[in-house]
């Protein structure tokens, strides 16, 4: 079981959290976006083998949303940061590319 470091509550087991999917996705302008742009925004997500930036919700705790940089193969959490903080630049991990 993964342990996730909530920025507000500290280290907790993963069963207290829900993954909200990929983070740092820019929402298109509703007045100018085509149907294809909306479809891409709503449904197309990265599914990398390696480093992935995700949103997580501490539903069985403080109720806050935050971001996690996680390695999708090892499930190692490389960074945890609040929604207002910028995305950290992390080095590529050798052997990630399929």
């Amino acid at each position: 079981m993964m342990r996730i470091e909530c920025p507000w509550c500290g280290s907790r087991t993963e069963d207290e959290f829900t993954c909200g999917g990929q983070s740092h996705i820019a929402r298109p302008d509703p007045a100018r976006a085509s149907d294809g742009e909306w479809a891409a925004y709503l449904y197309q997500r990265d599914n990398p083998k390696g480093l992935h930036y995700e949103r997580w919700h501490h539903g069985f705790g403080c109720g806050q949303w935050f971001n996690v940089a996680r390695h999708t193969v090892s499930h190692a959490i490389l960074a945890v940061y609040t929604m207002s903080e910028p995305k950290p630049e992390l080095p590529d991990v050798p052997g990630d590319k399929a």
Side-chain angles (χ1 to χ4, degrees):
M1 180 173 287
M2 283 193 309
R3 290 199 64 86
I4 299 172
E5 188 75 26
C6 174
W8 295 272
C9 303
S11 182
R12 301 288 195 266
T13 58
E14 70 179 292
D15 57 351
E16 291 189 17
F17 301 90
T18 303
C19 183
Q22 183 178 345
S23 61
H24 306 290
I25 298 171
R27 183 173 191 238
D29 180 354
R32 294 188 174 95
S34 68
D35 289 345
E37 290 170 321
W38 271 111
Y41 168 72
L42 292 173
Y43 302 112
Q44 294 177 1
R45 298 292 183 257
D46 293 339
N47 187 19
K49 180 180 179 183
L51 180 61
H52 194 235
Y53 293 92
E54 304 166 331
R55 297 175 304 152
W56 284 78
H57 178 243
H58 195 180
F60 291 98
C62 62
Q64 295 290 321
W65 283 90
F66 57 95
N67 290 312
V68 171
R70 182 178 66 87
H71 192 280
T72 61
V73 176
S74 67
H75 297 291
I77 295 176
L78 306 172
V80 175
Y81 52 104
T82 65
M83 298 298 275
S84 61
E85 293 178 291
K87 176 174 147 180
E89 293 300 323
L90 299 171
D92 289 333
V93 178
D96 279 349
K97 307 298 182 245

